Amino acid sequence: MSTPDDRPHPLPRRRFLAASGAVLGLGALHALTGPAASAAETPQWRPGVRFAPARNWINDPNGLVHFQGEYHLFFQHNPYGDQWGNMSWGHAVSPDLVRWQELPVALEPDELGEIYSGSAVVDHHDTSGFFGGQPGLVAIYTSAGDIQQQCLAHSSDRGRTWTKYAGNPVIPNPGVQDFRDPKVFWHAPTGRWVLLLAVGDRIHVYGSPNLRDWELLSEFGAEHGSHGGVWECPDLFELPVDGDPARTKWVLIVSINPGGPAGGSATQYFLGDFDGTTFTSDGAPDEIRWVDRGADFYAPQSFSDVPDGRRLWLGWMSNWDYAKEIPTDPWRGSMTTPRQLGLTDTGDGVRLVQQPVDELAAVRSNRRAWRGMIGRSPEFSGTSLDVVADFRPGAARSFGVDVFAGGGHRTRIGYDVAAQELFVDRTRSGTAHVSPDFPARHATPLALTGDRLPLRIIADRSGVEVFAAGGRAVLTDLVFPDRGSDRVHLFADSGNAQVEVEVFDLTP
C-alpha cells in the first residue's frame, strides 16, 4: 500500500471509528453520512469513464482479476471519511472495464490491523484447498497493525463475500518496518505460485504450491533503479516485443514514494528475465525507466486472468504530495482509465507502451472530425472526451491541444519541437486550490518519427491522460477546471502546423 510521503512508514494500528470501539458496518456508515447532498459537492469533477467511489477516500487499486465474466477492482478505501486511514478493500465490478458497479466493502480491518494493498487470483485447480475442488477467488493482502504481515481471504460466490483464512498470517513479518503489497501469479513452467513483496527499497520473491505455505526465493533491487523513496506495489509479467511471441521480456513494476520525475510519487519499471525464482534486469543498475512522467499515475496493478490474454492495468490517479488536498466531494480520489500494455523496440532499446483499452470505443459518441492548418481549425467542446490527433509540425515551435478551456483558463497538451518533448501544462487549469506546487508543467522526452506526432488524449472532467507515438510517451495529470470550461482548441506557436483530428464524447 502506498502511504503519504510525510508519513513514509504506516502508523501502528489505529482505533477504528465507532462509538463502541467496534468497526462500523455499512448501514451505520450510511446513517452517519446521510443521503443529503452538500453545497460543497463537486459533480462537475466526477469522472465519466474513470472509476471513483460514491464517497470517501480511495487510493491504490488492489486485487485486479477477471472471473466468470466480470472484471473486479478492489481498492484501498476508507469507508468512514475522506482522509487516509481505517483502510479497507473497497470493491467494484464491470463487464467491460468502462461501466463500474460499486459493491459493499469486501475486506474490513480485524485484530491483525488495517487491510493494505495486495492482489487476487483465480485458484483454478483449488491448490489452496478452499473450494472443494472448484475454482474460486483468493485475495492476498497486507494486514497492517503494529507490524505488517501477509494474509489470505477466499470467496466462493464471485467475490461478494469473503472468508479470512484461519491460519493468517501466511507470511509473518521477519522484523522489518516496510513489508507489504503482495502481488501473486501462477508461474506455469515451475508449477507454483509466485509472490512479490515490497520490503523497504527492494523486492522479495516467494514461491508456494498452495497459496498458504511460502518460501523466500530471491530478492531484487538493492543496486538497481531509483531509491528516492520507499518501494511499493510491485507487479511482474511477461510481454512479447512488438507482438512476437518468440521474443519476450519480463516487466517488473515498482512504485516509489517520493522521488518521482514530476515530484512526489511515481512508478518505475525494469525489463529482463524471470526463471521462476530470480528476476534479472537487462538494464544498467543506474538506469531509471519511468512508466509515466506526469504527476498522477501511481501504484498501477495488472489484471489477472484476462480471458483474451491482453495485459491490462490501471493506476491511482493522484500523488501523495497533495492527495489529501484534492478538492472533490463527497469522494476523494479516482483511478485512471484501464490501459493495455505492450513492448516495442525503439532506437534506444525495448520500451513499455501503453494505450487506453479498446473497450472505450464502445462508449464514444458524437464524432467530430477536421483536417487542415491549425490556424483555421474550428472549436470543439466537451468535458469527457476522447481526442485522436495526427500532427505535422511544419514551422511551428510548439503545437497541440488545449482542453477544459474557458474564462482565461485551459489545460495545454503540446509538443515542444526544439526541446523534443511532450508536455502537459496545468499552470492555468482553473481557480481551484490544491497545493502551492500543483500548478506545474510536466514533460517527457520524445523524438518525432517521420515528422509527425500521433496523439491521443482522454480528458475526463478532472484529469487528462496523454498517449503519444503509439503509447511510447505517456503523461497523466489531474486538473480541476472551473465550471463552464468546456472548450477544446488546437494551437500552434510561431508558425503553423497541420492536423487531422477526431473528437468523441465519452458517454457510458
Side-chain angles (χ1 to χ4, degrees):
M1 161 167 170
S2 57
T3 54
D5 75 60
D6 62 352
R7 188 163 55 216
H9 306 294
L11 295 172
R13 185 172 76 244
R14 65 195 68 227
R15 299 300 177 190
F16 307 116
L17 175 64
S20 65
V23 178
L24 286 178
L26 288 178
L29 167 64
H30 293 160
L32 279 178
T33 57
S38 161
E41 290 188 2
T42 55
Q44 74 274 19
W45 292 328
R46 181 172 286 280
V49 294
R50 296 182 288 109
F51 176 77
R55 58 194 315 113
N56 297 330
W57 174 273
I58 184 176
N59 59 292
D60 307 352
N62 301 153
L64 305 186
V65 63
H66 183 276
F67 185 55
Q68 296 183 353
E70 291 180 318
Y71 291 93
H72 291 262
L73 164 61
F74 301 93
F75 51 91
Q76 289 290 279
H77 186 44
N78 180 357
Y80 314 115
D82 65 357
Q83 291 293 323
W84 181 78
N86 304 307
M87 301 313 298
S88 304
W89 272 26
H91 188 196
V93 294
S94 172
D96 58 8
L97 296 164
V98 178
R99 303 172 181 90
W100 293 97
Q101 176 190 4
E102 189 172 357
L103 299 179
V105 170
L107 297 173
E108 296 191 85
D110 56 28
E111 66 279 1
L112 293 178
E114 299 180 55
I115 311 297
Y116 277 13
S117 292
S119 52
V121 294
V122 181
D123 188 3
H124 290 281
H125 303 293
D126 194 21
T127 63
S128 62
F130 293 146
F131 305 111
Q134 300 300 311
L137 291 175
V138 178
I140 306 94
Y141 61 93
T142 298
S143 284
D146 297 326
I147 56 176
Q148 297 175 2
Q149 306 180 90
Q150 315 319 312
C151 294
L152 300 182
H154 54 92
S155 172
S156 299
D157 61 357
R158 298 168 53 242
R160 270 52 180 184
T161 61
W162 291 84
T163 301
K164 293 175 181 175
Y165 177 46
N168 284 336
V170 295
I171 305 180
N173 191 297
V176 296
Q177 189 162 21
D178 296 304
F179 187 71
R180 57 181 179 266
D181 309 340
K183 175 67 177 189
V184 173
F185 64 95
W186 178 257
H187 187 255
T190 55
R192 65 184 172 192
W193 298 99
V194 170
L195 181 150
L196 280 74
L197 201 65
V199 183
D201 64 346
R202 60 202 65 186
I203 301 301
H204 285 190
V205 180
Y206 293 78
S208 171
N210 57 17
L211 294 168
R212 292 179 283 107
D213 303 301
W214 294 95
E215 172 191 6
L216 180 61
L217 303 176
S218 65
E219 70 171 56
F220 171 82
E223 298 178 353
H224 288 265
S226 174
H227 290 264
V230 66
W231 283 20
E232 300 184 307
C233 303
D235 201 349
L236 181 64
F237 44 83
E238 189 176 18
L239 288 176
V241 179
D242 291 316
D244 182 359
R247 184 188 179 198
T248 65
K249 286 185 178 291
W250 284 83
V251 185
L252 173 63
I253 303 297
V254 177
S255 290
I256 181 172
N257 177 45
S265 44
T267 303
Q268 59 184 325
Y269 72 98
F270 306 88
L271 300 178
D273 181 65
F274 180 66
D275 62 5
T277 298
T278 302
F279 175 81
T280 304
S281 174
D282 62 11
D286 60 351
E287 182 179 18
I288 301 172
R289 298 171 179 167
W290 298 108
V291 164
D292 187 314
R293 285 181 174 265
D296 297 302
F297 186 74
Y298 194 62
Q301 292 286 286
S302 66
F303 282 88
S304 173
D305 292 270
V306 175
D308 59 8
R310 289 179 296 167
R311 182 60 56 172
L312 309 177
W313 74 0
L314 52 74
W316 178 41
M317 197 163 175
S318 197
N319 189 306
W320 279 120
D321 269 2
Y322 44 72
K324 295 182 290 183
E325 309 305 322
I326 296 302
T328 56
D329 184 84
W331 80 100
R332 179 159 291 158
S334 66
M335 299 301 174
T336 64
T337 54
R339 304 172 182 183
Q340 47 207 43
L341 304 180
L343 294 175
T344 191
D345 205 344
T346 71
D348 296 322
V350 176
R351 294 292 182 267
L352 186 70
V353 293
Q354 306 175 68
Q355 289 279 24
V357 290
D358 294 339
E359 286 83 347
L360 275 181
V363 295
R364 285 172 164 179
S365 64
N366 190 26
R367 176 181 181 267
R368 290 143 284 171
W370 188 83
R371 62 184 298 178
M373 301 297 288
I374 286 177
R376 303 170 188 163
S377 62
E379 182 179 79
F380 306 99
S381 65
T383 58
S384 187
L385 298 173
D386 190 343
V387 180
V388 182
D390 193 340
F391 290 93
R392 297 184 182 276
R397 290 194 309 182
S398 65
F399 57 88
V401 184
D402 289 340
V403 298
F404 305 131
H409 298 282
R410 47 80 172 150
T411 296
R412 173 155 288 189
I413 299 151
Y415 185 79
D416 185 316
V417 175
Q420 296 190 81
E421 63 181 21
L422 180 75
F423 65 87
V424 172
D425 184 343
R426 66 182 184 190
T427 57
R428 293 170 49 196
S429 60
T431 57
H433 177 76
V434 181
S435 70
D437 56 353
F438 185 84
R441 180 184 184 276
H442 303 130
T444 185
L446 178 64
L448 296 187
T449 302
D451 196 36
R452 57 186 289 265
L453 177 67
L455 188 66
R456 186 168 178 192
I457 302 163
I458 306 299
D460 189 15
R461 295 182 183 161
S462 55
V464 294
E465 300 174 70
V466 182
F467 307 85
R472 287 191 291 119
V474 183
L475 294 167
T476 302
D477 272 345
L478 287 171
V479 292
F480 299 99
D482 293 351
R483 289 182 184 271
S485 295
D486 64 350
R487 305 287 100 183
V488 178
H489 306 130
L490 301 169
F491 76 89
D493 290 335
S494 302
N496 216 327
Q498 291 185 324
V499 68
E500 296 182 31
V501 63
E502 295 177 288
V503 178
F504 302 88
D505 290 328
L506 293 173
T507 53

